[in-house]
Amino acid sequence: TSLSEGQPPALADSISTCKILVVGAGGIGCELLKNLVLTGFKNIEVIDLDTIDVSNLNRQFLFQKKHVGKSKAQVAKESALQFCPSANITAYHDSIMNPDYNVEFFRKFMLVMNALDNRAARNHVNRMCLAADIPLIESGTAGYLGQVTVIKKGMTECYECQPKPAQKTFPGCTIRNTPSEPIHCIVWAKYLFNQLFGEEDADQEVSPDTADPEAAWNPEETAARATASDKDGDIKRVSTKEWARSTGYDPVKLFNKLFKDDIMYLLTMDKLWKKRKAPTPLDWHQLENSASGLKDQQVLDVWGYCQLFQHSVETLRSQLQEKGEGAELVWDKDDPPAMDFVTAAANLRMHIFSMSMKSRFDVKSMAGNIIPAIATTNAVIAGLIVLEGLKILSGELESCRTIFLNKCPNLRKKLLVPCVLDPPSANCYVCASKPEVTVKLNVHKTMVLTLQDKIVKERFGMVAPDVQIEDGKGTILISSEEGETEANNSKFLSDFGIRNGSRLQADDFLQDYTLLINVLHVEDLERDVEFEVVGEAPDKAPPPQTNQEEVNSITNGNKDSAQPSTSSKGYQKFFEGNSESEGGNFDQFIQNYFSLRIFQGFAVLRHLYAFLHFDEILGLN
């Protein structure tokens, strides 16, 4: 029997007749689908573009080993129907950002539930639900931490009302010349993988950065001091991949170039090492003669990583050869040779720059921007999603809450802390009545392609934008119709008369969204920065609570809560990124990670407990 049988008749009717869209069929999505059919929801559509991987099986319990490689959405549907064969579930193996899923598609549903793993898709669903005026339940987990909130046009903050920290990036000169943290070496190793085996990108160069302003040296004067052992290894003559091919992807030549010759070249940049410890070059043959053997567990010794580097290069070389001429590999944290390569290269560089080396497990977590997901956290959050959905279907939207699942109980001995939903932000560039932003850039250096890809699409989340200049003529700068404005891509904004104070209107008809962009021309920005959005400080903490927000928190039993969860301003901490969520302190989390694993078999029982008791025991009503 379904839980809807104990509900009031009106709510039971709504549950059995309303159409629900579930976006994502991964960790939260599997738990959510199961919860929905057990609650009595009969008309569910689920969409996910991903296929099932072996690494999913420890928590995404609708999948089994026999399903690896198959569509998550389709298999999740088939498995959920075993709980309730009378349910009507439609599965889409597709991206929710596909233009087929337009505003009219969203209007079919009474409620949308997000179980996503990336910010771009979350932004898009947020806008589609605003355009369709459909309630959206947003969610995310990060290890022990989790969060659920409700978004309703005109009533609550939308997903983009509060600025999210930008995806963490590092200056090119730090990555190439002066790494000081393990993450710098891991990023460098991922760049190296692409330069050798994948799609080459000039922005991901791994050779020493001779233009580093901190070095302020004369390359012609000091180049002679670099005693490179293999002159053919000078990859400035040809691309990294071309040079690697010319050596036959010889692991020893690659090693000596990357970890000996390039490091010796860096040492010639004297000014870099006056206030920091200089790197120590490695030599393959010296290490080989003093080898101490390979350790299988935890952090290897230096020679162990040398051997791992050699083995992974040989394996990746074979994979390239099998794919044929001009082939490229794509780095994947779940591909063992690719992960071995990044682990070895990153650790060798860490050793060179006097950092403690990291285990493969740690490197994978950092390289994949992930925190290992926990089945029980997903189960609790999925239960809370349905509880908030029941409030909406009962017409009690005003009683909906943002609910934080904390790692430790607060002073009121609660793990779950509800907060009143905040009203829309007047300055939001998405849900305001007339969205508007100011962008600081150099009109003489910014190309139309940069405006399209990095500003309008990547930064402001549009999928198929049309941009026109408000110049009295309605000049079309960017068209969503293929081929119409491609000739503009390589031209600078100033070529179209755009100057300080110019206004651009960007439209995305799929999202039913229009944004007015004010151009603020500046001659110089910080190094490696192409543009800035005025008024945002994405790398800083959210603003402190106002008195009214504190009152809201006290009303909901949250004044004494453990961090992070003082109000929905903490929203960004949980689902701003790239796993079931990205964030949290990995080192703290991992201390307790394995102790919790033994309880994962109880995930199914825990969701039932959530349904039956969360409201009354934990004070969510």
Side-chain angles (χ1 to χ4, degrees):
T1 62
S2 71
L3 293 180
S4 65
E5 291 184 10
Q7 303 288 355
L11 178 57
D13 288 344
S14 293
I15 289 171
S16 61
T17 59
C18 73
K19 272 194 172 183
I20 301 288
L21 175 63
V22 175
V23 188
I28 296 174
C30 281
E31 294 282 351
L32 180 56
L33 268 178
K34 170 257 298 171
N35 287 354
L36 289 170
V37 295
L38 289 176
T39 308
F41 287 89
K42 300 292 186 185
N43 300 293
I44 305 166
E45 299 192 12
V46 58
I47 181 167
D48 196 302
L49 58 74
D50 207 0
T51 55
I52 297 161
D53 187 83
V54 172
S55 64
N56 303 146
L57 303 182
N58 70 338
R59 64 191 182 282
Q60 297 174 24
F61 79 104
L62 295 182
F63 309 143
Q64 301 172 37
K65 193 170 182 180
K66 65 184 180 182
H67 297 136
V68 169
K70 294 182 178 179
S71 160
K72 282 189 176 180
Q74 187 61 39
V75 175
K77 166 191 168 177
E78 294 165 3
S79 299
L81 285 173
Q82 294 179 40
F83 289 90
C84 181
S86 62
N88 177 27
I89 303 177
T90 303
Y92 302 93
H93 178 58
D94 205 349
S95 167
I96 192 62
M97 298 173 79
N98 185 318
D100 292 342
Y101 310 109
N102 54 22
V103 175
E104 289 306 311
F105 172 81
F106 275 80
R107 286 195 178 121
K108 295 190 307 183
F109 304 102
M110 190 174 289
L111 186 57
V112 176
M113 297 175 169
N114 264 358
L116 282 162
D117 64 355
N118 68 89
R119 191 190 302 175
R122 283 180 166 118
N123 287 347
H124 181 70
V125 174
N126 174 58
R127 295 177 189 192
M128 300 305 289
C129 289
L130 291 171
D133 200 6
I134 302 296
L136 168 65
I137 303 178
E138 178 60 272
S139 65
T141 64
Y144 291 106
L145 307 178
Q147 184 177 7
V148 173
T149 196
V150 174
I151 296 168
K152 181 66 170 72
K153 182 178 182 179
M155 292 183 63
T156 73
E157 282 187 338
C158 79
Y159 178 66
E160 297 170 83
C161 271
Q162 296 299 326
K164 310 291 188 296
Q167 201 73 32
K168 191 67 177 171
T169 57
F170 306 98
C173 52
T174 299
I175 298 299
R176 294 167 64 184
N177 290 359
T178 54
S180 57
E181 301 173 26
I183 188 63
H184 299 154
C185 300
I186 292 168
V187 170
W188 178 87
K190 287 178 70 176
Y191 286 178
L192 178 62
F193 178 93
N194 286 334
Q195 299 296 77
L196 290 175
F197 306 106
E199 182 180 355
E200 291 182 278
D201 185 337
D203 292 334
Q204 297 185 354
E205 184 54 72
V206 293
S207 299
D209 183 1
T210 57
D212 188 338
E214 189 185 352
W217 65 309
N218 184 342
E220 291 158 2
E221 211 175 273
T222 55
R225 292 157 56 189
T227 56
S229 62
D230 182 358
K231 297 300 180 185
D232 290 331
D234 186 355
I235 60 172
K236 289 181 288 301
R237 297 180 190 172
V238 293
S239 77
T240 304
K241 189 177 288 184
E242 275 186 69
W243 172 75
R245 281 178 181 154
S246 73
T247 71
Y249 283 96
D250 184 304
V252 177
K253 286 187 177 180
L254 285 175
F255 181 97
N256 280 334
K257 177 68 186 92
L258 296 164
F259 304 116
K260 178 186 174 186
D261 300 346
D262 280 356
I263 303 304
M264 293 176 75
Y265 196 69
L266 277 175
L267 289 171
T268 67
M269 303 184 188
D270 300 344
K271 291 190 178 180
L272 290 179
W273 317 115
K274 286 186 176 176
K275 294 184 179 179
R276 57 168 65 90
K277 187 173 181 180
T280 305
L282 296 176
D283 184 284
W284 178 277
H285 300 294
Q286 289 180 4
L287 290 165
E288 188 175 28
N289 294 333
S290 61
S292 59
L294 183 67
K295 295 177 185 176
D296 292 330
Q297 301 297 324
Q298 299 179 342
V299 179
L300 309 182
D301 60 10
V302 177
W303 178 242
Y305 283 120
C306 292
Q307 290 182 291
L308 186 64
F309 179 83
Q310 179 182 32
H311 178 70
S312 61
V313 168
E314 290 168 347
T315 305
L316 293 167
R317 176 180 63 193
S318 298
Q319 289 182 359
L320 265 185
Q321 289 171 347
E322 287 172 13
K323 284 179 172 283
E325 188 67 30
E328 292 174 345
L329 302 180
V330 177
W331 190 82
D332 183 345
K333 63 180 170 53
D334 294 317
D335 177 43
M339 193 62 237
D340 285 345
F341 177 86
V342 167
T343 300
N347 272 300
L348 290 166
R349 192 163 172 88
M350 287 179 218
H351 180 77
I352 286 168
F353 284 89
S354 304
M355 297 174 222
S356 296
M357 296 189 288
K358 297 285 184 182
S359 70
R360 188 178 190 277
F361 184 84
D362 287 347
V363 172
K364 182 175 181 178
S365 298
M366 296 168 78
N369 286 331
I370 60 169
I371 286 177
I374 297 175
T376 42
T377 306
N378 290 337
V380 171
I381 291 301
L384 291 170
I385 293 171
V386 176
L387 287 174
E388 292 304 299
L390 295 179
K391 292 178 188 177
I392 294 170
L393 294 178
S394 299
E396 300 174 3
L397 205 114
E398 69 283 351
S399 68
C400 289
R401 299 287 182 263
T402 292
I403 306 164
F404 295 91
L405 172 61
N406 286 333
K407 179 179 177 180
C408 301
N410 64 6
L411 296 181
R412 297 175 187 266
K413 296 184 168 50
K414 294 194 177 194
L415 284 174
L416 288 167
V417 183
C419 299
V420 168
L421 297 169
D422 287 321
S425 167
N427 299 320
C428 179
Y429 67 78
V430 174
C431 68
S433 57
K434 292 185 178 178
E436 188 169 334
V437 290
T438 298
V439 178
K440 190 188 296 184
L441 49 77
N442 187 326
V443 297
H444 305 298
K445 295 180 180 178
T446 304
M447 291 192 294
V448 172
L449 187 62
T450 300
L451 173 69
Q452 174 185 282
D453 290 350
K454 295 191 177 181
I455 300 179
V456 179
K457 286 187 177 180
E458 186 177 318
R459 179 62 187 80
F460 295 126
M462 294 192 179
V463 177
D466 293 276
V467 179
Q468 69 175 28
I469 309 169
E470 291 196 347
D471 55 2
K473 308 172 193 173
T475 303
I476 303 295
L477 192 64
I478 298 167
S479 172
S480 57
E481 295 295 326
E482 193 173 341
E484 280 196 4
T485 55
E486 282 184 8
N488 295 346
N489 286 350
S490 58
K491 296 179 181 176
F492 296 105
L493 299 186
S494 56
D495 295 335
F496 297 87
I498 297 171
R499 59 185 187 277
N500 189 51
S502 292
R503 291 157 69 89
L504 310 174
Q505 181 176 308
D507 296 286
D508 190 314
F509 294 107
L510 171 63
Q511 299 176 341
D512 192 17
Y513 173 53
T514 297
L515 177 65
L516 189 65
I517 301 173
N518 297 297
V519 175
L520 179 61
H521 169 72
V522 291
E523 288 296 330
D524 295 303
L525 288 164
E526 290 180 33
R527 180 179 169 82
D528 295 330
V529 173
E530 293 179 281
F531 68 93
E532 289 178 6
V533 179
V534 175
E536 288 192 359
D539 292 325
K540 295 180 181 177
Q545 285 185 320
T546 63
N547 291 335
Q548 183 58 46
E549 286 169 337
E550 285 196 351
V551 170
N552 289 349
S553 295
I554 295 169
T555 303
N556 289 279
N558 187 42
K559 177 66 176 172
D560 305 316
S561 65
Q563 288 294 326
S565 65
T566 51
S567 81
S568 61
K569 296 296 187 292
Y571 194 46
Q572 63 193 53
K573 290 176 181 287
F574 295 89
F575 38 89
E576 62 200 18
N578 290 331
S579 61
E580 261 116 45
S581 178
E582 176 187 18
N585 185 313
F586 178 79
D587 291 329
Q588 290 177 7
F589 163 75
I590 205 61
Q591 291 172 10
N592 300 310
Y593 174 66
F594 290 104
S595 65
L596 190 76
R597 279 294 186 194
I598 60 174
F599 295 109
Q600 289 194 344
F602 297 105
V604 176
L605 296 176
R606 286 179 66 111
H607 95 274
L608 291 171
Y609 180 84
F611 270 132
L612 296 171
H613 299 291
F614 274 172
D615 265 6
E616 55 195 77
I617 291 179
L618 295 165
L620 297 179
N621 49 9

